[in-house]
Amino acid sequence: MELLNTSISYSIDGAGNTSSVIAGIRGESEGRLTITANITIYPADLDKEATFDDLSKKQLFALATKKLPDLLPDLTYTNYQFFVQNDTPVRVTAYSNLSNNGNYITLNSTLDQSDFKDKSIGSIGYEDVKAAVKTILSQEFPTS
């Protein structure tokens, strides 16, 4: 999945120093996954001698994308919706999100019968959807 940087936002403390940076991320994979995220980078995420002011937009984005896979297992699945054609379920879209520690992620996943080897798509449940999304995420983000 190609990830794009959509924004960089600096938080400045009272002394004029950058205290954190939020990087906006967006990515899409063949109509199967769409991810939008705001990942907060803290001083602890930087190399020992580095400061936020030393880093380029490209370097900050790289730090944010490095953090993203570790956050994906904590997604909360808020909803899933079946799409039916001729009274038969043909695909399901799962809506997931995460909001913690200054990180905000929204993931929409579109699944079809090929994602459910052992069951018909019409008989899947919540845990089946979560497992299928996890499989796709592990392919797109091998460390997640």
Side-chain angles (χ1 to χ4, degrees):
M1 172 183 298
E2 182 180 353
L3 297 174
L4 303 172
N5 182 219
T6 59
S7 65
I8 297 285
S9 176
Y10 294 83
S11 295
I12 311 294
D13 65 19
N17 299 309
T18 305
S19 57
S20 65
V21 171
I22 299 172
I25 299 172
R26 185 177 192 300
E28 188 171 339
S29 175
E30 301 174 14
R32 291 177 52 85
L33 294 177
T34 302
I35 190 165
T36 56
N38 288 319
I39 306 297
T40 302
I41 305 163
Y42 296 102
D45 298 319
L46 304 179
D47 289 337
K48 205 173 217 176
E49 300 297 319
T51 69
F52 288 111
D53 298 329
D54 296 331
L55 302 175
S56 68
K57 176 181 79 166
K58 188 181 246 182
Q59 291 168 312
L60 292 167
F61 178 65
L63 286 171
T65 57
K66 183 180 174 184
K67 288 181 76 168
L68 182 60
D70 293 334
L71 298 168
L72 294 175
D74 296 327
L75 288 170
T76 300
Y77 292 80
T78 57
N79 188 13
Y80 63 93
Q81 177 179 14
F82 285 95
F83 293 88
V84 177
Q85 187 173 28
N86 298 326
D87 283 338
T88 304
V90 293
R91 68 182 184 274
V92 61
T93 299
Y95 303 95
S96 317
N97 62 48
L98 170 74
S99 175
N100 75 0
N101 298 327
N103 300 300
Y104 304 93
I105 301 171
T106 300
L107 175 71
N108 296 336
S109 313
T110 301
L111 312 167
D112 60 26
Q113 183 60 58
S114 67
D115 295 301
F116 306 100
K117 306 292 184 211
D118 300 331
K119 293 183 177 182
S120 102
I121 197 168
S123 67
I124 62 168
Y126 177 72
E127 293 300 324
D128 301 312
V129 170
K130 284 177 39 177
V133 172
K134 183 177 180 178
T135 297
I136 295 168
L137 287 173
S138 69
Q139 294 165 354
E140 293 295 332
F141 300 96
T143 60
S144 67

